[in-house]
Amino acid sequence: MKITRRAAIAGALLPFAARAQAPEWPSRPVRFIVPYPPGGPTDIMGRIVAQAVQGPLGQPFVVENRAGANGLIGSEQAARAAPDGSTFLVNASAHVIVPHLTPNMPIDVLADFAPVTNIAAVPLWLVVNPALPVRSVAEFIAYARANPGRIAYASSSQGGAPHLAGELFKLMTGTDLVHVPYRGSGPAGQDLIAGTVQAMFDSVPATAGAVRDGRLRALGVTTRNRIAPFPDLPTIAEAGVPGYEISTWYGIWAPARTPPAIIARLQQAVAAAARNPETRARFDALGAEPVADSPEDYARFVRAEYDRWGALVRNAKIKLD
């Protein structure tokens, strides 16, 4: 087939024409829906990322807190949003835990979303009100066994990783703790500081400030290894509960059918932010390990986590209160 000079020139110009016709993203402000109240770890992660990417991407990224129903109100709102890159969901690992505990889910957390990236992995820890007469995990277990049903432990929501951390702790230690769920880590932490509840399994970012200034006492971290911001704090496993390990992570999802090019651009911006020394320092201060994986790797991770948490819920016979 003979290719004319005019056709050759037209063919060479096609990529430039397509680029000129393709809408730039983002061309307007973008919102991150966080399905919990302000002040909690998911909110903190969302705001760190929003601040880090809005400069390079040239548009404001605004965090909107849509709390309620264990995160399902905000998640459903994000799932129903137009798949045009104007709305994303920032959620924790609760995104793949709540479905195993909630009948008649209003959304399919796998099919209704397109994974963008895993922001960071974050350790949890066991913190208590200083009025509780314990200073170690071992003392906490002994006190709980001597006072069954008299220690109320808070969590950021029913079905989240902090809730499951408490239930796994009860299962492995034979203690009787009373679960008190809240609509977010912020309100739960406030009641813990006030003494309304006595203990809490929470992410390090949410309560690190209160631990540093003495309003709360940290007894142990839930991860396999100790964490850099608090190197002297033992893990719960080494402090008396061998084999205990649980953590949480925070990620970004887009509504299903969002163009892959938009998803890729946001993921690349998050990955660049994770390499930025200023942003990395903010993660380090929280004990968070940035991930910023590809959408494909994140999709595989989300599926595996969905299956892993489901198995834990079934094996531990965990139910919503």
Side-chain angles (χ1 to χ4, degrees), residues 4 21 28 62 77 104 199 201 218 257 295-296:
T4 66
Q21 293 171 4
R28 54 178 171 152
V62 181
Q77 185 175 358
N104 305 316
F201 289 86
R257 298 177 299 282
E296 295 76 18

Side-chain angles (χ1 to χ4, degrees), residues 236-271:
I236 290 177
E238 67 182 336
V241 192
Y244 184 92
E245 180 183 355
I246 202 166
S247 63
T248 191
W249 47 269
Y250 301 87
I252 304 173
W253 288 263
R257 298 177 299 282
T258 297
I262 292 176
I263 290 173
R265 189 163 189 218
L266 178 56
Q267 185 277 327
Q268 290 160 10
V270 175

Side-chain angles (χ1 to χ4, degrees), residues 28-218:
R28 54 178 171 152
V30 178
R31 63 175 179 161
F32 279 172
I33 292 180
V34 171
Y36 303 103
T42 310
D43 180 68
I44 292 171
M45 286 293 164
R47 293 179 189 276
I48 289 175
V49 173
Q51 183 178 353
V53 302
Q54 63 184 359
L57 292 177
Q59 289 289 341
F61 277 66
V62 181
V63 172
E64 292 188 7
N65 300 92
R66 303 294 186 200
N70 298 322
L72 288 177
I73 289 177
S75 296
E76 183 175 9
Q77 185 175 358
R80 307 297 183 223
D84 58 5
S86 62
T87 301
F88 295 88
L89 174 71
V90 177
N91 203 354
S93 46
H95 185 75
V96 295
I97 301 174
V98 171
H100 301 290
L101 296 161
T102 307
N104 305 316
M105 282 281 292
I107 55 174
D108 185 323
V109 299
L110 298 180
D112 290 342
F113 291 94
V116 177
T117 192
N118 185 343
I119 299 170
V122 178
L124 303 172
W125 58 3
L126 170 59
V127 289
V128 299
N129 184 288
L132 197 69
V134 300
R135 291 187 171 274
S136 68
V137 172
E139 289 182 3
F140 181 83
I141 293 171
Y143 185 87
R145 288 174 176 167
N147 298 274
R150 296 185 62 184
I151 295 179
Y153 84 91
S155 78
S156 55
S157 67
Q158 293 198 76
H163 174 198
L164 267 63
E167 294 304 304
L168 183 62
F169 185 89
K170 289 166 56 178
L171 183 70
M172 294 182 69
T173 60
T175 50
D176 179 14
L177 310 177
V178 179
H179 177 226
V180 182
Y182 284 77
R183 294 180 59 185
S185 177
Q190 291 170 8
D191 269 10
L192 177 61
I193 291 170
T196 305
V197 291
Q198 291 75 49
M200 185 175 179
F201 289 86
D202 199 17
S203 76
V204 173
T207 42
V211 169
R212 288 190 177 101
D213 65 21
R215 290 176 294 159
L216 294 177
R217 179 181 298 140

